[in-house]
Amino acid sequence: MLSKGKYLFTSESVTEGHPDKICDQVSDSILDAVLAQDPMGRVACECLATTGLLFVTGEITTTAIIDYPSVVRKTLAEIGYNQDCGGFDAESCSVQTAINKQSPDISGAVNTSVETRNEDDNGKSEESTGAGDQGLMFGFACNETKELMPLPISLAQKLSRRLTEVRKNGTLPYLRPDGKTQVTVEYENGKPLRVETIVVSAHHSVSINGVTDNDEVQKIITRDIMEHVIKVVVPHELLSDTRFFINPSGKFTVGGPQGDAGLTGRKIIVDTYGGYARHGGGAFSGKDPTKVDRSACYAARYVAKNVVASGLADKCEVQVSYAIGVATPTSVMLDTFGTGKISEESLLKIVKEHFDLRPGAIINALHLRRPIYKQTAAYGHFGRDDLDLPWEKTDKAESLKKSAEHFALSV
């Protein structure tokens, strides 16, 4: 991670109407529908969207009775895909499903971890849950923003959310659901100085207040996005010699699945830290919490955020890894990038005392067997000051700080 001299760093976001984000939200809507009836349900749901078609597949094992097409159409309607969007309509698009049950081999490994099988506990407790797969997961936090996120991704996500807000509340009724944002921040010695570049691409109707001339339409969109989106979201003091690119391709009237196919899990960098921190490669949406791709990333963020909130580091990245069917992590790593107030070895010991990173313990601590996931499927899973998410709490910061003080005295 760069820390010396001046440099630029860029992150992007997409709106809830982006084709990939449609699929993420559908997958998580189905997950929420299962968990609402069956908290122990196993879900690995994938979607594909293209012009006039949304296809749902994956492995779902549950006692819940789900009308999958109805869940899909409701989600699309809430996003805003109707006849005005052209080529993709919640009511008329084809919804197809091909869903199987979870492999019994995987199910057995998750139900009863290696440790529990050795103890003949027969998988009766949540602590017996084994990891649903091998893999490595990362969590990150830094003190660049009040939500303890990197500034570029924080601003990009808020700009995307604002695009949707002004579309849905009628401020800019000509906007359509698809859209993308990108923010470049200039840093000096690891500290953000200003916003260097902002890119906004907003899906819109062919005509705006009766105006159809492309040049005139572009002028209206540029003026409105500056006034109602950028200036509302980005603090004025950060806009110094900033470059703005608003719909740089010109008109953007063909959007959503009509313009590009979408897939679940194809926006993993948008979902996390905008490339500012490392990523293990696993997607979140459509996966129940026994999948450590999701739950362990949430736990790692929870750890990192509490470390930074405690004042023990300005930046903190946590890696945790697992073997399939094994509850205890195969490794836990912590990196403060030279900003730690105590040694990383000491800090890691304190973290292990305060956080149980076994899958079942994570599920219990963060109350993950609830239908809370659709709301995270657009605008990021972390740094969400608009949502009450358990992994965003800093309820362990004070205890970490006290443990560090006691540790220092005992050395």
Side-chain angles (χ1 to χ4, degrees), residues 94-154:
S94 174
V95 177
Q96 299 182 21
T97 62
I99 297 171
N100 297 307
K101 292 186 177 181
Q102 185 181 57
S103 157
D105 296 338
I106 296 175
S107 179
V110 174
N111 289 341
T112 310
S113 67
V114 168
E115 299 94 323
T116 304
R117 290 199 295 273
N118 291 339
E119 296 171 4
D120 295 325
D121 189 46
N122 297 318
K124 294 180 181 179
S125 66
E126 188 78 271
E127 284 70 23
S128 69
T129 301
D133 200 353
Q134 71 176 46
L136 52 140
M137 299 83 202
F138 288 94
F140 181 79
C142 64
N143 60 8
E144 290 182 14
T145 63
K146 63 182 178 61
E147 60 269 22
L148 303 186
M149 287 286 286
L151 183 60
I153 188 63
S154 177

Side-chain angles (χ1 to χ4, degrees), residues 224-275:
D224 287 351
I225 295 298
M226 280 294 301
E227 187 67 26
H228 298 289
V229 178
I230 294 173
K231 289 183 179 179
V232 171
V233 169
V234 184
H236 174 73
E237 60 271 19
L238 293 177
L239 297 176
S240 174
D241 295 323
T242 302
R243 297 185 300 162
F244 301 96
F245 296 97
I246 299 174
N247 281 20
S249 66
K251 65 180 182 178
F252 184 3
T253 58
V254 179
Q258 183 189 14
D260 191 11
L263 291 169
T264 300
R266 202 159 59 175
K267 284 290 176 283
I268 60 175
I269 299 303
V270 172
D271 284 342
T272 52
Y273 308 101

Side-chain angles (χ1 to χ4, degrees), residues 235-368:
H236 174 73
E237 60 271 19
L238 293 177
L239 297 176
S240 174
D241 295 323
T242 302
R243 297 185 300 162
F244 301 96
F245 296 97
I246 299 174
N247 281 20
S249 66
K251 65 180 182 178
F252 184 3
T253 58
V254 179
Q258 183 189 14
D260 191 11
L263 291 169
T264 300
R266 202 159 59 175
K267 284 290 176 283
I268 60 175
I269 299 303
V270 172
D271 284 342
T272 52
Y273 308 101
Y276 197 98
R278 285 172 281 198
H279 197 296
F284 298 158
S285 291
K287 298 178 181 179
D288 74 79
T290 66
K291 278 73 172 176
V292 285
D293 276 344
R294 176 167 226 156
S295 55
C297 280
Y298 291 167
R301 162 66 175 174
Y302 183 47
V303 173
K305 188 172 185 181
N306 275 273
V307 167
V308 174
S310 72
L312 295 176
D314 295 335
K315 297 179 181 179
C316 181
E317 185 177 72
V318 174
Q319 185 201 55
V320 60
S321 65
Y322 296 88
I324 188 169
V326 182
T328 306
T330 55
S331 70
V332 181
M333 181 278 294
L334 184 147
D335 189 350
T336 63
F337 307 97
T339 69
K341 304 305 184 286
I342 62 175
S343 71
E344 288 170 353
E345 182 180 6
S346 301
L347 187 53
L348 183 58
K349 289 180 180 178
I350 293 169
V351 162
K352 288 181 176 180
E353 291 175 359
H354 288 269
F355 297 92
D356 188 340
L357 295 175
R358 294 175 298 165
I362 292 170
I363 291 170
N364 277 340
L366 300 180
H367 310 290
L368 297 182

Side-chain angles (χ1 to χ4, degrees), residues 7-9 151-152 155 183-187 192-196:
Y7 57 92
L8 302 177
F9 192 89
L151 183 60
L155 291 177
V183 176
T184 300
V185 173
E186 182 181 20
Y187 286 80
L193 290 180
R194 65 184 185 93
V195 173
E196 204 277 340

Side-chain angles (χ1 to χ4, degrees), residues 27-44:
S27 292
D28 274 339
S29 293
I30 290 171
L31 170 62
D32 279 357
V34 169
L35 294 178
Q37 297 182 41
D38 177 16
M40 304 302 289
R42 297 282 169 78
V43 179

